[in-house]
Amino acid sequence: MLKQAFLFKWLRLLFQQTVYSLNNLFIMKKFVLLVLISIISFSGSIYSQTPPSWTSADMYLAIRKLNVLGSVLYLAAHPDDENTRLIAYLSKDRMLRTGYLSMTRGDGGQNLIGDEQGIELGLIRTQELLSARRTDGGEQFFTRAYDFGYSKTPEETFNKWNKEKILSDVVWVIRKFQPDVIVTRFPTTGEGGHGHHTASAILANEAFEAAANPNRFPEQLKYVKPWQVKRIMWNTFNFGGNNTTRDDQLKIDVGGYNPLLGKSYGEIAAESRSNHKSQGFGSAATRGEQLEYFSTTKGDRPSKDILDGVNLSWSKVDGGTSIEKMINDIAAAFDLLHPDKSVESLVKLHKSMFALAPGSWRDKKLKEVEELIAQCSGLFLDATTSQQFAVQTDSIKINFSFNNRLGTDATLQKVAVDDFDSTFSKKLEPNRNLNFSKTLSVTTDKPITQPYWLANKMEDGYFNVTDQLLIGQPDVSPSFVANVGVNVYGELFNFSVPVKYKFTDPVRGELYEPLVVLPPVEFNFVNDNNFSINDSAARSQVYFKSNLKDSSVYNVLFKYPNGWFAERSSFSYGTWANNNNYASAYFRPKEKGLSRKETISLTVRKSNKEIFAGKKNVISYNHIPYITYFKEASSNLIQIDVKTYNKRIGYIVGAGDKVPEALEQMGYEVTLLTEKEMARNGLDKFDAIITGVRAYNTNDWMSKYYNKLMKYVEDGGNVIVQYNTSNRVGPVSQKIGPYDFDISRTRVTDENAAVTFLKPQHQVMNFPNKITEEDFKGWIQERSIYHASNWDKDKFETIFAMNDAGEKLDEGSLIIAKHGKGYFSYTGIVFFRELPAGVPGAYRLLANLIALNKKKGF
């Protein structure tokens, strides 16, 4: 029921997404070419479920791009920090190799489309960012830094990230990408606000020197060479009430229209930025002049362009002058209706490039030519399976389909996947399908499909990636890759084709998704949190699933802390011995009356050999590929001394959170309330009504039920409103409470910040649980966000004061008002983070808020 409500919520929000802004201009030589190409408009779509297929416009642009040997690396802190308008302009107008280096994967943000948080949100935002790059033409990179949430200073950020480690990642990406110019979104001086923002600029400016110094991170030099960037430019901005642009800064108009694509760069950028759906960044397109401003922070200051003084031609490569002429000739002769006529010339170009001395630009352009040969030939090279999962020790059938759609001189010579390697000498006939299948064994040493940054236990502020060559890589490597050798005009070309899971959805049609490798058996705890409430036994339930039909027996052992008694510590599971896929164990605390959180896990053995004990987790949204990751089987064992008063909770779903599940585990009866339930049902049956995070931001219908909610409070009810934001997504314009208050951007980001009790005798501090300093220990990420401000001080009471270091105390994290016979509360306290994390004090405090309207004598 909960998941259905969140799905419904997501579907509604998805249709609310719009489009963003950004820019620039393209000049054509021949009018007829302009007319023809503009007819073949390029579709800058979001996630493409089918194999990439270029239009003639894309091919022509790619040919012209072969003659541009320049690169720009944009650098900031998070997904959605990047300037998609500038990236689209640099990539598609200037035809530069353009990349975006994001320090983090956005793990610590809020989620507008579902209840995923932490690494799951980071996985979603990674794919949203990759979808954005597919739209605006940029390449994507990451460091190992973990987005631990809002940070107010770069010092705090570096304490968590391990500055030297993340600096080494930035240097690594620079040395591999070899940008001529770096552009930062934020300055080193703090105008970007977020500590991560400032930290990203500091790292970029330090890496400018370090990347060129062979004594810095010398372990990288067996793979790369030192690299000197020409300059770093800060892309100044005017947003968030902070205008850092000035007339004396370098200005570039990036708002032009590209007739080849049929779009302005502002339109392309809007499509790109609108991929950040989890952050509610649907954006409106812009057209016309759009100026971007730049200030130099390192290197020589340009006068006209950020690439002043950079040689962008083939003359920078020994022997490259003749290459430039060949490319110009191919571009001039390009036939929009018959791109295959350029293939033979492209093959000759490839041969000439290959004869040059190896180097970064020569190697990069060779790959671009190879892709052009495939696209201009109309070669369709497909390797798919009808199985979504490949299981270790099992087999998988791969279907190959090849088509020479434009009749190029092409002969299939080899197909290889893992241990399958077959040679051919098969002429690919014009527009004729060549189909065949092969069943392959999935060996025990075939790695499960795990995002590489999650393969090892992470540190507090960064992912523990030890393979140097993986650092910076944006995504997980494909599980299976077909190497397809095709002879085109006498030259052999090897094309890498990832094997995909292909199926037909009755609504969306033919879809391609990643093929995932699974272990033979999966184990997991049913609940993330297992509670011993008031010293009762905590029931821990384990779920196991076989992905194979065999008769193996697995021995499973619970690993639990010393402070607990276990009524059952092990069990055996025969994969096909019975139909019961669950087993339970009960744990009792040895010491009574405590509130604590500890961890239990599993050890699994097969034939006395320890195997992976974990389970796949799948995240599915239409705008990104399916995401699969594996989590080792572990769970929280929580002893909590908590009393509850009141039973029935109405929960108005907001942007998505896991608070309702936590309430149910505490013993409350939870009913999810959508607009339909609010309209049809009376509220008096609920002891308390809680609004989910951002409920007033994401539900425009909430204002219709203001009077109904306030009448419920007046008659003795209890309404608890969790945080809403005052900006960007659905700013709160309607009234929320019975008395006036505003919502600020004040937050306390230090999860260990001291909490001052302003009214220790208040009911919320004493009934039914006595709240003490112990209840604020063990919190994660932050204390509170989006505090109340400017409240009616005659009506509202404040309970806590808290602050981050160097800031004044703020009392807006929890405000409570008596209204008629009932109570209204607004809180920025991050219950949505602390409850899923199993923080005992958060449960006790929320139980007291729920009990406000049923005061007992004490």
Side-chain angles (χ1 to χ4, degrees), residues 5 21 36 279 313 438 535 702:
S21 67
L36 285 170
Q279 304 307 294
S313 74
K438 179 67 178 178
D535 303 322
M702 288 291 290

Side-chain angles (χ1 to χ4, degrees), residues 135-286:
T135 302
D136 59 35
E139 300 175 44
Q140 187 58 52
F141 306 97
F142 293 97
T143 75
R144 288 173 286 184
Y146 177 71
D147 179 0
F148 57 83
Y150 192 86
S151 171
K152 294 182 177 178
T153 68
E155 291 77 19
E156 178 194 13
T157 299
F158 289 139
N159 284 339
K160 295 266 184 137
W161 279 0
N162 185 331
K163 181 182 177 183
E164 190 73 358
K165 186 176 291 289
I166 305 308
L167 175 61
S168 76
D169 292 356
V170 178
V171 168
W172 169 253
V173 172
I174 291 172
R175 286 172 172 172
K176 284 192 70 178
F177 188 76
Q178 296 186 351
D180 296 301
V181 173
I182 291 175
V183 179
T184 64
R185 170 80 281 186
F186 303 106
T188 61
T189 45
E191 292 90 336
H194 199 315
H196 296 181
H197 293 168
T198 305
S200 71
I202 292 171
L203 289 169
N205 281 269
E206 291 189 13
F208 178 87
E209 310 285 351
N213 185 350
N215 295 318
R216 294 290 276 140
F217 312 111
E219 69 280 1
Q220 299 178 2
L221 300 183
K222 59 182 173 181
Y223 307 110
V224 292
K225 296 178 180 179
W227 180 255
Q228 181 60 70
V229 180
K230 189 168 186 63
R231 63 177 65 92
I232 295 185
M233 308 295 292
W234 166 33
N235 181 197
T236 59
F237 50 81
N238 182 7
F239 54 71
N242 192 1
N243 185 1
T244 62
T245 64
R246 297 197 313 268
D247 286 338
D248 63 347
Q249 293 171 350
L250 176 67
K251 295 182 282 290
I252 301 176
D253 177 13
V254 299
Y257 173 77
N258 190 323
L260 282 166
L261 305 179
K263 297 177 183 178
S264 72
Y265 300 114
E267 291 170 309
I268 295 169
E271 293 175 4
S272 173
R273 192 162 181 79
S274 293
N275 282 289
H276 296 297
K277 298 185 188 304
S278 67
Q279 304 307 294
F281 269 8
S283 303
T286 61

Side-chain angles (χ1 to χ4, degrees), residues 6 30 100 223 226 354 382:
F6 289 135
K30 301 177 183 178
Y100 174 45
Y223 307 110
F354 191 80
D382 205 26

Side-chain angles (χ1 to χ4, degrees), residues 19 28 173 205 209 238 390 397 412 458 490 526 561 563 571 582 733 847:
V19 226
M28 286 296 303
V173 172
N205 281 269
E209 310 285 351
N238 182 7
K397 181 181 178 182
L412 179 66
M458 67 176 293
V526 173
F571 63 90
Y582 294 87
S733 55

Side-chain angles (χ1 to χ4, degrees), residues 553-725:
V553 175
Y554 298 88
N555 297 309
V556 182
L557 176 69
F558 286 94
K559 296 165 65 177
Y560 57 94
N562 290 329
W564 299 78
F565 295 109
E567 295 183 8
R568 181 185 188 184
S569 61
S570 65
F571 63 90
S572 294
Y573 167 52
T575 54
W576 293 96
N578 55 62
N579 295 320
N580 182 13
N581 291 339
Y582 294 87
S584 296
Y586 292 86
F587 299 90
R588 292 184 180 275
K590 292 180 179 179
E591 187 175 352
K592 299 185 181 301
L594 299 180
S595 288
R596 56 177 169 168
K597 179 181 77 171
E598 297 181 287
T599 302
I600 53 175
S601 60
L602 299 178
T603 297
V604 180
R605 293 183 176 276
K606 176 185 176 182
S607 302
N608 288 324
K609 181 180 178 181
E610 188 170 336
I611 65 168
F612 173 74
K615 176 186 175 295
K616 72 177 181 297
N617 296 269
V618 179
I619 302 170
S620 176
Y621 290 102
N622 283 352
H623 68 296
I624 54 177
Y626 291 166
I627 299 168
T628 302
Y629 77 99
F630 290 85
K631 182 181 178 183
E632 290 192 1
S634 66
S635 184
N636 293 321
L637 194 56
I638 301 169
Q639 181 182 4
I640 179 172
D641 179 19
V642 60
K643 301 176 183 65
T644 59
Y645 194 106
N646 291 338
K647 189 76 172 176
R648 299 176 299 275
I649 308 294
Y651 198 89
I652 300 175
V653 179
D657 57 67
K658 297 179 179 179
V659 173
E661 292 97 321
L663 291 169
E664 288 180 334
Q665 286 187 299
M666 292 173 71
Y668 294 105
E669 297 174 2
V670 180
T671 301
L672 296 181
L673 302 177
T674 64
E675 182 178 11
K676 183 167 67 174
E677 282 78 29
M678 288 293 292
R680 294 179 178 179
N681 299 321
L683 303 180
D684 56 346
K685 64 180 178 181
F686 297 115
D687 297 318
I689 293 176
I690 303 175
T691 67
V693 299
R694 294 193 185 188
Y696 286 86
N697 294 127
T698 58
N699 297 322
D700 52 10
W701 47 264
M702 288 291 290
S703 59
K704 291 195 298 185
Y705 301 99
Y706 170 78
N707 291 333
K708 189 172 186 176
L709 283 168
M710 293 305 104
K711 182 68 166 60
Y712 162 77
V713 174
E714 193 173 352
D715 290 345
N718 181 14
V719 169
I720 302 163
V721 175
Q722 295 183 84
Y723 92 93
N724 288 266
T725 65

